[in-house]
Amino acid sequence: MHIQQNIPLAPYTTFKVGGAARLFVEAGGETEILDALRFAREERIPVFVLGGGSNLLVGDNGFDGLVIRIAMKGIAQQGNTLTAAAGEEWDVLVQLAAERNLQGIECLAGIPGTVGGTPVQNVGAYGQEVSQTITQVRAIDRATLTPLTFTNAECGFAYRRSRFNHEDIDRYIVTAVSFRLLPGGAPSLAYADLQRAFLPSETPTLMEVATKVRKIRAAKGMVLIPGDADTQSAGSFFKNPVVPAELYESIAATHGNVPHWPAPGGVKLSAAWLLEASGFHKGFTLGKAGLSTKHALALTNRGGATAGEILLLRDHLRAGVKARFGIHLEQEPVEL
């Protein structure tokens, strides 16, 4: 275990903002993670676990503790199940599944970050969520310093949530995830964007769907492209809110065609639509932070922004939507 000092964290995030970690270690296996946890316990310092940095906003003061960066790699296949180490790039796994004609995660192509973060957030896009294919999550219990395995049911999956980011937040460190996929299965074309991308007569392959998803995401600034300020973000910053049916009906009565979907407990609305309907259009800026010019739901570092400026923009947007519709937008990225 090699512990480094005063390591800037901004380069390890897609936002490219934030201060330094007082202590920093890269863990290539479970043994190194356990060693780092024991060290932090002995020194009585806080720990933060860093994955791909695609769903993270580091504060300007950095982190006065130990950052453990998950760097373990490896993908194994057993039958129709792929098991990937937590440090593997997520899109590498999606590409491999498509190449091997294994259906179930092709619509999640192009999403930045690592495999370990996918069960935590129950990552989803274009009609698919990882909870639909995850069979097991291997993790280390930070309280007992022991590895253990969770079944799908034990993960407590729901929309953009799991036990790992709610009731057991900061308790477990994911080290590997297993996905049961469908050999030769037809790709999912549930979302309108994908349906419009292919002719009704076409029968696209999994690889063609994954490629098309990446192109759609790139057009919205949701694929990392060096030098493109629209991609210096954490992707969709706000969750699509679920509101009571009565509130949706009230909004629809005055605004006409409001994008919505049925959801447990009410109606899911488009956070991007709410922002634009509140006057915050693509490209809106506040200081050096702003909305993407391609997608209203992505808060971006337009160049040289501080974390404080990102948060100021967040609060400004929230207040506008709250005043216009009475809806509080919940953010997706983790704050450090």
Side-chain angles (χ1 to χ4, degrees):
M1 182 180 64
H2 175 59
I3 296 179
Q4 304 174 68
Q5 298 184 30
N6 299 317
I7 300 299
L9 293 175
Y12 291 97
T13 75
T14 52
F15 253 131
K16 304 303 180 188
V17 301
R22 179 160 67 90
L23 299 173
F24 182 93
V25 63
E26 291 204 347
E30 290 186 351
T31 298
E32 290 168 289
I33 294 175
L34 290 168
D35 287 344
L37 291 173
R38 292 188 186 100
F39 169 82
R41 182 173 291 186
E42 291 169 0
E43 297 295 322
R44 297 186 179 182
I45 56 176
V47 170
F48 181 78
V49 180
L50 175 65
S54 60
N55 195 51
L56 174 65
L57 178 60
V58 177
D60 294 317
N61 293 328
F63 185 65
D64 188 20
L66 174 65
V67 169
I68 303 175
R69 181 171 181 261
I70 304 302
M72 52 190 64
K73 302 286 186 178
I75 300 174
Q77 180 174 354
Q78 185 172 9
N80 61 338
T81 297
L82 292 179
T83 298
E88 279 288 349
E89 290 294 324
W90 169 250
D91 202 39
V92 169
L93 180 66
V94 174
Q95 181 73 6
L96 182 65
E99 289 173 354
R100 297 183 181 180
N101 204 25
L102 296 171
Q103 188 272 343
I105 56 176
E106 63 281 353
C107 294
L108 304 178
I111 295 176
T114 52
V115 169
T118 60
V120 178
Q121 295 294 125
N122 186 17
V123 166
Y126 298 102
Q128 288 181 336
E129 291 182 337
V130 292
S131 59
Q132 297 168 330
T133 55
I134 286 176
T135 56
Q136 289 187 338
V137 175
R138 183 171 172 84
I140 289 174
D141 187 336
R142 290 170 58 168
T144 62
L145 299 184
T146 56
L148 68 168
T149 301
F150 295 95
T151 65
N152 183 291
E154 291 171 334
C155 290
F157 289 124
Y159 173 65
R160 297 298 180 272
R161 67 173 288 171
S162 68
R163 72 183 298 165
F164 308 113
N165 66 0
H166 277 75
E167 59 266 33
D168 287 324
I169 190 168
D170 292 335
R171 176 166 179 176
Y172 298 104
I173 300 175
V174 175
T175 59
V177 188
S178 296
F179 303 84
R180 181 175 295 140
L181 306 172
L182 181 61
S188 174
L189 299 175
Y191 260 46
D193 279 354
L194 276 177
Q195 292 169 3
R196 288 191 294 266
F198 298 99
L199 297 173
S201 59
E202 287 185 279
T203 305
T205 64
L206 297 177
M207 187 68 74
E208 288 170 338
V209 169
T211 300
K212 189 67 69 172
V213 167
R214 292 188 187 96
K215 289 182 179 178
I216 293 172
R217 290 183 62 85
K220 297 180 179 181
M222 296 294 186
V223 173
L224 296 180
I225 301 174
D228 184 351
D230 280 335
T231 70
Q232 290 189 161
S233 76
S236 298
F237 195 90
F238 297 111
K239 299 179 182 180
N240 290 327
V242 176
V243 303
E246 302 79 36
L247 179 55
Y248 157 71
E249 291 165 2
S250 173
I251 294 173
T254 56
H255 289 79
N257 186 22
V258 179
H260 68 285
W261 303 269
V267 179
K268 184 188 298 182
L269 301 183
S270 164
W273 183 90
L274 291 169
L275 286 166
E276 296 203 84
S278 300
F280 304 117
H281 299 291
K282 300 180 187 71
F284 174 86
T285 58
L286 195 64
K288 294 180 180 178
L291 294 179
S292 166
T293 63
K294 303 181 183 74
H295 198 292
L297 198 50
L299 277 65
T300 63
N301 170 9
R302 305 309 300 174
T306 64
E309 287 178 298
I310 301 291
L311 294 174
L312 187 64
L313 174 62
R314 175 202 65 184
D315 294 343
H316 186 67
L317 298 173
R318 271 182 171 167
V321 172
K322 183 72 172 180
R324 184 72 182 84
F325 296 105
I327 296 173
H328 174 75
L329 293 181
E330 183 181 354
Q331 78 178 53
E332 284 199 41
V334 174
E335 282 183 56
L336 178 61

